[in-house]
Amino acid sequence: MRAPARARSAGLVVVAACLGLITSCGGDGDGGSARPEPSVSRPTVEPAHTAAYEAGWREGKRIFEDGGKGAAVREVVWGGCVRRSLTARPREVVDKDRGAWVLGCEQGVGSGADRHPPTGPVTRRVPDPDLLRRFRSWAAAQGERQSARDAGRVVLVHLGTHDYDVELACACTAGSAKDDARRLADAFATWWDGDDGDGTAWNLVVTDPTGQRLFTRALG
């Protein structure tokens, strides 16, 4: 027997109301809790000093495995890690904090190998206009007038608490840049003559005016 029309209408209203409640609660029948958005993991960028330190550490461990305890003297006492940092790869990692790379290399090559990663940048670049003035004065007096003219900005590149390099910008012409840089490096190294001051200067790095490396020469 058919239900009265009024009863059927009431039943439809109740069903519609229930469907409305389910839809408003997310349509998943979980009692009203909205489903959380999936978390999106974002890649973290490693700080420059950390990446350089880790690269230096790996190189130091490799040197120790190849050369044993004698490698530590060569790389730490005689500046091996400092010199290696000028040609170490990958350049885009090393050049961002060469001091951190040297630190990692020296710690990695040690037989005990205690890791003490830096908590911040290690390399410090300090302009030294007085050093430039004194070199220019000496070069002019010694007949090295071209070197005196070519010598530009001088920056001391501190690679830690004791070791540093001298960076000398050369106002070299494009056609003879390599020869000019070599001549300038020879004159500067003669004038320097092992005078390290506070710390040990290991390398002279001659660059063009934009900072691109043209020539390197050992100082220590």
Side-chain angles (χ1 to χ4, degrees):
M1 186 172 76
R2 292 184 180 180
R6 183 176 298 174
R8 289 202 303 272
S9 298
L12 290 174
V13 170
V14 171
V15 171
C18 289
L19 289 174
L21 287 172
I22 293 173
T23 303
S24 67
C25 294
D28 54 9
D30 61 356
S33 298
R35 187 167 295 169
E37 291 286 335
S39 61
V40 178
S41 61
R42 305 183 190 281
T44 57
V45 178
E46 193 173 36
H49 61 271
T50 301
Y53 174 87
E54 293 298 333
W57 169 268
R58 290 191 295 270
E59 179 66 7
K61 293 298 291 181
R62 184 195 66 77
I63 295 169
F64 177 73
E65 289 169 1
D66 291 345
K69 292 183 178 180
V73 175
R74 182 178 66 250
E75 302 301 321
V76 178
V77 178
W78 298 109
C81 284
V82 177
R83 299 202 196 284
R84 289 175 189 273
S85 71
L86 291 172
T87 55
R89 305 289 178 183
R91 295 253 35 98
E92 64 272 14
V93 171
V94 181
D95 283 345
K96 287 182 178 179
D97 196 335
R98 199 151 55 88
W101 190 94
V102 171
L103 178 64
C105 177
E106 291 181 346
Q107 290 183 4
V109 82
S111 57
D114 281 343
R115 289 169 56 91
H116 299 288
T119 57
V122 177
T123 305
R124 293 183 299 110
R125 298 172 57 85
V126 182
D128 195 331
D130 183 61
L131 195 64
L132 173 63
R133 179 191 59 77
R134 288 191 284 124
F135 168 68
R136 281 176 168 170
S137 177
W138 173 88
Q142 296 298 316
E144 294 280 353
R145 296 186 181 279
Q146 185 61 46
S147 293
R149 285 193 294 268
D150 284 344
R153 180 186 64 255
V154 171
V155 175
L156 302 184
V157 185
H158 294 274
L159 304 171
T161 58
H162 188 71
D163 301 324
Y164 68 98
D165 285 346
V166 180
E167 189 176 277
L168 175 61
C170 177
C172 306
T173 59
S176 59
K178 288 288 185 180
D179 291 338
D180 292 344
R182 185 184 297 272
R183 184 186 63 250
L184 179 58
D186 289 344
F188 190 93
T190 299
W191 172 71
W192 189 260
D193 196 25
D195 181 13
D196 296 330
D198 295 330
T200 301
W202 291 105
N203 303 294
L204 172 65
V205 181
V206 182
T207 73
D208 68 13
T210 68
Q212 292 296 315
R213 195 179 301 165
L214 295 173
F215 188 76
T216 61
R217 179 182 178 130
L219 287 176

